[in-house]
Amino acid sequence: MPEPLDFTGPLRDSLEQAGFTYDGVRDLLGSQAHDALMRNETTPGRRRTAGGSAVETLVRLFLLQVPVAREAAERALPGQVDRLATEGLLEQSVGEVAARLDIRPYAADDTDLWVVSDLTPGLDGGPQRVGADHVLGISGASSSLAQLTLREPVGRALDLGTGCGVQALHLAAHSDLVVATDVNARALRLTRLNAALNGVADRVEVRDGSYFEPVAGERFDLIATNPPFVISPGTGERLVYRDSGLPGDRVVENIVRAAPGHLTEGGWCQVLANWVISRERPWDERLAGWLAGDCDALVVQREVVDPATYVELWLKDAGLHGTPGYLERYDTWLSWFDGQGVEAIGFGWVNLRASGGGPVESQVVSELLDWPYEVEQPIAPAIRAWGAAAHARVDAGSRLVTREDVRQETVGPAGAEDPEAIVLRQQWGLRRARQVDTVEAALVGACDGELTLGQILDAVAQLTDADAEQVRATYLPVAGELVREGFLELA
């Protein structure tokens, strides 16, 4: 039976009354100290929180990890210090109280939330090593997935590999039920605690188990997952929050292959992932082999790093930089990459949408896009728009409009009769750019919903002295691409 969490109500009330919210902490610290804390430096924050107010005490206690006088802790958390110590959030010594867990204010969709996790390692250059069952708090990866995940109301959602439950909190705001799974017992406890602390315990069901095992035979309208995707040789201590124990990028492949069997008709699965870029095969061709025939798929490669950079990143993340075994671990990892034929590692997103009706393969839309450029955040609306346009029927009778954020750029010498290149560029969403010819540029410029696509193409053919049938045959499919890529929309 889950442990009683009745202490979370008074704790939430105290946090709210003290102004221990994201905006409240940011205003208290100011930009310099706030940014320093994001770099794991606490000195500017200590200088800004010496006044003894409740919010200053809470910042020092939970964010700066500075012991505070018991009297100050009692003022900030009246009547709760002993209970919170019993529950493992605080520890007491003679006259002082220190945090054993991190409680971090978090803003989600204009709602104040609090996320409990293990203490942040490495503050002020201190030890970085963490235990194998360390529960990570809010991170760049969790924020990326939160901005990627669609935010429409759904019935059932799944947070696969929940960690401390950040995604479950987001999902609970627009789902009737959220199932949160993990193999880490400490993570499951903190997810329950976070659900109770934020008043959504009635909508978050926590289950112990690996990947889809706890939900065998069940389907969901939305699956969001930031799995333990680090690609490593599997030697040394395994950190559950980042290491799956499976070889290579198998954990991501397994999720992508299994997810369609757990989606309702029209349901989405959204995965934050790493994948191997092999010397032998293009990345998109390799990942295309993972995709099921009954799901639309938008896979976006956001970043590519070389093996050495990748190894350094994750060895430092594990707190191994500068330790006696660092060089040996570094060499072992690189040797393993070399033996596996790994040229680089890709970071990105996998978005799957179940078509539901079992369409033939030709009806399934898959796009694998290498797009390392800046995008608009949150990116979720752009993912939704891609899904809406994926099966848009575009023919000669369609009426199209140019999306209002699309701009046309021309490149070439000043005064030249014709430009060397014409580029269409989006200002919103994925902010795609596409080089087009003069016919495509004319087509996009003329799409205002008044004329049909066939009428526009016939007029362009007449202006360019081209064969009308040939222009239609060539540019009707191009118009479909422009709709799917978001440059044009159906009127």
Side-chain angles (χ1 to χ4, degrees):
M1 178 179 292
E3 60 190 309
L5 297 171
D6 54 311
F7 66 91
T8 57
L11 174 57
R12 179 174 62 250
D13 291 343
S14 293
L15 300 178
E16 287 180 335
Q17 289 169 13
F20 189 63
T21 63
Y22 181 84
D23 289 341
V25 169
R26 184 186 57 191
D27 292 344
L28 169 67
L29 292 179
S31 60
Q32 184 182 78
H34 188 268
D35 291 348
L37 185 57
M38 297 302 101
R39 300 191 301 271
N40 284 357
E41 297 291 342
T42 69
T43 299
R46 292 177 188 232
R47 292 169 59 87
R48 297 276 299 189
T49 56
S53 69
V55 66
E56 289 172 305
T57 297
L58 294 171
V59 169
R60 292 174 77 84
L61 189 59
F62 292 114
L63 304 185
L64 304 180
Q65 298 179 23
V66 177
V68 301
R70 180 181 174 91
E71 293 80 3
E74 286 286 2
R75 287 195 299 271
L77 300 163
Q80 300 169 66
V81 172
D82 289 341
R83 177 67 188 275
L84 294 178
T86 301
E87 297 293 341
L89 279 76
L90 300 176
E91 62 182 4
Q92 303 183 69
S93 60
V94 179
E96 283 192 333
V97 175
R100 292 182 62 192
L101 291 173
D102 183 305
I103 302 180
R104 191 159 298 256
Y106 184 61
D109 306 316
D110 298 323
T111 300
D112 289 322
L113 302 175
W114 295 271
V115 176
V116 182
S117 67
D118 277 326
L119 294 173
T120 302
L123 288 185
D124 302 315
Q128 289 263 13
R129 297 303 302 274
V130 297
D133 60 353
H134 180 80
V135 180
L136 192 67
I138 301 161
S139 66
S142 62
S143 296
S144 293
L145 181 58
Q147 294 181 103
L148 175 68
T149 305
L150 303 177
R151 297 299 172 203
E152 284 79 21
V154 296
R156 304 184 81 237
L158 173 62
D159 177 9
L160 191 72
T162 187
C164 69
V166 174
Q167 307 308 322
L169 296 180
H170 278 281
L171 292 168
H174 58 98
S175 307
D176 295 335
L177 174 68
V178 180
V179 177
T181 69
D182 211 294
V183 295
N184 184 349
R186 294 190 69 254
L188 295 176
R189 176 179 182 268
L190 291 184
T191 295
R192 290 190 185 96
L193 194 161
N194 282 322
L197 180 61
N198 291 285
V200 295
D202 60 331
R203 297 198 297 281
V204 177
E205 182 179 316
V206 177
R207 300 187 194 175
D208 181 13
S210 179
Y211 304 110
F212 290 105
E213 290 176 4
V215 294
E218 298 180 45
R219 292 182 180 268
F220 298 87
D221 305 302
L222 179 60
I223 300 171
T225 179
N226 172 21
F229 53 59
V230 174
I231 301 168
S232 73
T235 58
E237 183 180 44
R238 177 187 170 200
L239 302 179
V240 177
Y241 74 86
R242 64 169 224 189
D243 301 310
S244 69
L246 296 176
D249 52 15
R250 185 69 59 79
V251 61
V252 176
E253 178 182 356
N254 288 354
I255 288 171
V256 171
R257 289 184 182 277
H262 292 276
L263 290 175
T264 59
E265 180 176 348
W268 285 81
C269 174
Q270 299 184 275
V271 188
L272 201 68
N274 281 189
W275 46 76
V276 165
I277 300 175
S278 170
R279 299 190 192 107
E280 307 297 327
R281 194 176 181 189
W283 77 274
D284 51 350
E285 180 182 306
R286 183 170 174 271
L287 266 63
W290 300 356
L291 304 176
D294 57 353
C295 271
D296 297 325
L298 174 61
V299 182
V300 183
Q301 182 163 270
R302 295 288 294 140
E303 185 179 359
V304 174
V305 299
D306 62 81
T309 301
Y310 190 81
V311 172
E312 292 164 18
L313 169 68
W314 293 111
L315 285 177
K316 291 174 181 176
D317 175 79
L320 294 168
H321 191 245
T323 64
Y326 177 75
L327 294 178
E328 182 180 355
R329 288 174 182 266
Y330 196 152
D331 185 65
T332 298
W333 205 333
L334 280 185
S335 297
W336 182 78
F337 273 149
D338 191 52
Q340 297 292 314
V342 176
E343 180 178 272
I345 297 89
F347 292 73
W349 316 319
V350 180
N351 301 277
L352 307 174
R353 184 183 65 171
S355 51
V360 297
E361 188 173 351
S362 62
Q363 294 175 302
V364 174
V365 176
S366 296
E367 182 177 3
L368 292 94
L369 175 66
D370 190 6
W371 195 250
Y373 311 106
E374 185 180 356
V375 300
E376 182 185 27
Q377 294 290 5
I379 195 61
I383 305 301
R384 168 61 73 188
W386 179 91
H391 292 279
R393 295 186 60 179
V394 178
D395 55 32
S398 300
R399 297 180 189 273
L400 306 176
V401 293
T402 302
R403 207 171 79 180
E404 62 179 298
D405 66 308
V406 173
R407 300 291 181 268
Q408 179 177 299
E409 302 173 0
T410 58
V411 179
E417 183 175 348
D418 295 310
E420 292 178 356
I422 305 173
V423 176
L424 300 178
R425 193 177 303 278
Q426 301 167 354
Q427 309 301 304
W428 303 338
L430 284 168
R431 293 176 175 158
R432 297 196 202 221
R434 177 182 174 119
Q435 187 168 331
V436 297
D437 61 24
T438 54
V439 174
E440 291 170 73
L443 165 63
V444 171
C447 284
D448 59 5
E450 293 296 322
L451 300 176
T452 66
L453 178 57
Q455 290 172 324
I456 292 172
L457 291 176
D458 289 346
V460 172
Q462 185 175 5
L463 288 172
T464 58
D465 294 323
D467 180 75
E469 290 301 316
Q470 184 61 48
V471 169
R472 284 194 178 210
T474 300
Y475 289 98
L476 279 173
V478 171
E481 292 176 9
L482 290 166
V483 170
R484 286 190 293 275
E485 293 178 7
F487 294 94
L488 297 176
E489 298 174 327
L490 292 173

